[in-house]
């Protein structure tokens, strides 16, 4: 039986394509939402939705004057990891930089050992609370990267944990095989890259553990030429391409993402105008991760405004990870995208809904229109902007996934 949600003060409807539009969303007042079988049957003005013949016998839920926005899509996370790196946060607060810590053997490499000794169940137990908090903040779709294993079996273990989490939560979880950095002591980079292509990318695709492949393109990680090798493997095995580019240096990462037709280019703190123009022309979603600049205490912030003005579609994600962005709350990232990266609140909403969906190549979510997923957030306020305004404490009355108020199974049911 369909469900008719009424008493919606404002229903936020992101446009399918943002393009260069200054107003990427519509806000419909006195709205209603009709849902059946996890998908939207109708959404819009209450009087119009109530005329839908399927609304007649629907059960009715009244949101009592609250606003509704589409479920948030966190298109870039490393949320499945083991251990912590609190000491590095402390070292940075005393003046060391992320690169200095990485070159001294810290950083990403420090996350290998805790991952190595953890079982899939351990990883699930450690990651589940983070995922629960994401949902509580309104996130309904989460991309999860590997990248802390640096050995094929460990990379696949991380992706298996993501898959196990997917079975425990109503949220949609999509895995990504991330070529992060070469393992410590690696003397033959080409051999490691081949191994990653054959034993991680190929296997993750075959075992349906990943939908995407990502590469950290950076001086301290992989070169442009090396990234092309991973990209070829990803294409061969049917994985979508996403790239970490221009986080610490601008050595042409954005241009490469454009050349390779990546779904998204992520970070972009250092990207300059030529790179932005190429991303726009190639329709690569520019994904900014404001939590990173905040957490690393590092300028510059990604320039969301310049990316938009260059014609890019912009997504915002948490980059949740133990080293550069220990943050689960996508609403706070949207708020920072507004206060520090130059987006309007409307653009930030687009960037965390439809923008996130586009960064994952998903066409069934990020809006609330007929035939698409009924993933939505009921804001505990009549004004949807309260979600971003109450920094760190966005008032979420309920997170609905496929039309149902979300809840997570307990870890004991872990497969
Ligand atoms: O997206 N930049 C590379 N990878 C992560 C950081 C991972 C870590 O430091 O553990 C990022 O910021
Ligand atoms: Fe990242």
């Amino acid at each position: 039986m369909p469900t008719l949600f009424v008493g919606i003060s404002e229903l936020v409807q992101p446009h399918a394509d943002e393009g260069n539009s200054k107003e990427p969303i519509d806000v419909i007042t006195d709205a209603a939402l009709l849902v059946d079988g996890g998908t939207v049957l109708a959404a819009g003005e209450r009087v119009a939705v109530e005329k839908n013949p399927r609304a007649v016998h629907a059960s009715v839920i009244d949101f009592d004057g609250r606003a509704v926005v589409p479920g948030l899509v966190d298109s870039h996370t490393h949320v499945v990891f083991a251990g912590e790196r609190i000491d590095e946060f402390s070292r940075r607060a005393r003046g060391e930089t992320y690169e200095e810590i990485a070159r001294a053997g810290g950083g990403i490499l420090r996350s290998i050992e805790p991952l190595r000794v953890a079982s899939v169940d351990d990883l699930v137990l450690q990651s589940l609370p983070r995922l629960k908090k994401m949902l509580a903040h309104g996130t309904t779709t989460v991309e999860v990267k590997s990248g802390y294993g640096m050995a094929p079996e460990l990379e696949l273990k991380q992706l298996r944990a993501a898959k196990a989490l997917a079975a425990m939560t109503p949220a949609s979880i999509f895995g990504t095989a991330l070529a992060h950095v070469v393992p410590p002591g690696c003397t033959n980079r080409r051999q490691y890259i081949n191994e990653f292509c054959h034993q991680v990318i190929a296997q993750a695709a075959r075992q349906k553990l990943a939908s995407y492949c990502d590469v950290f393109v950076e001086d301290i990680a992989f070169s442009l030429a090396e990234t092309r090798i991973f990209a070829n493997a990803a294409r061969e095995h049917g994985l979508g391409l996403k790239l970490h580019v221009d986080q610490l240096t601008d050595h042409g990462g954005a241009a490469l993402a454009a050349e390779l037709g990546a779904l998204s280019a992520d970070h972009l703190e250092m990207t300059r105008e030529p790179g932005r123009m190429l991303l726009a022309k190639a329709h690569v979603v520019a994904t900014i991760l404001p939590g990173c600049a905040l957490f690393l205490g590092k300028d510059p912030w990604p320039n969301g405004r310049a990316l938009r003005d260059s014609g890019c579609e912009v997504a915002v994600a948490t980059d949740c990870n133990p080293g550069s962005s220990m943050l689960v709350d996508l609403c706070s990232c949207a708020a920072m995208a507004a206060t520090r990266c130059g987006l309007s609140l409307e653009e930030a909403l687009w960037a965390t809904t439809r923008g996130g969906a586009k960064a994952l190549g998903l066409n069934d979510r990020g809006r609330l229109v007929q035939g698409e997923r009924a993933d939505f957030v009921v804001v505990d306020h009549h004004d949807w902007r309260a979600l971003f305004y109450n920094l760190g404490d966005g008032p979420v009355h309920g997170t609905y996934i496929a039309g149902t108020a979300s809840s997570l199974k307990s870890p004991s049911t872990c497969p």
Side-chain angles (χ1 to χ4, degrees), residues 76-78 145 148 178 180 214 216 244 247 266-267 289 292 319-321 324:
H76 181 139
T77 89
H78 310 251
K145 301 178 195 296
Y148 289 126
L178 167 63
H180 218 168
D214 191 346
F216 185 19
H244 281 68
Q247 179 185 9
D266 303 27
H267 273 291
L289 311 163
C292 235
D319 196 18
C320 174
N321 77 77
S324 69

Side-chain angles (χ1 to χ4, degrees), residues 284-337:
V284 178
V285 177
T287 302
I288 59 172
L289 311 163
C292 235
L294 176 82
F295 193 80
L296 295 179
K298 196 174 183 306
D299 286 331
W301 288 68
N303 195 340
R305 182 76 266 131
L307 286 160
R308 291 280 294 112
D309 290 346
S310 302
C312 291
E313 292 191 313
V314 172
V316 171
T318 60
D319 196 18
C320 174
N321 77 77
S324 69
S325 184
M326 193 65 170
L327 224 147
V328 291
D329 169 15
L330 190 50
C331 294
S332 290
C333 295
M336 288 186 270

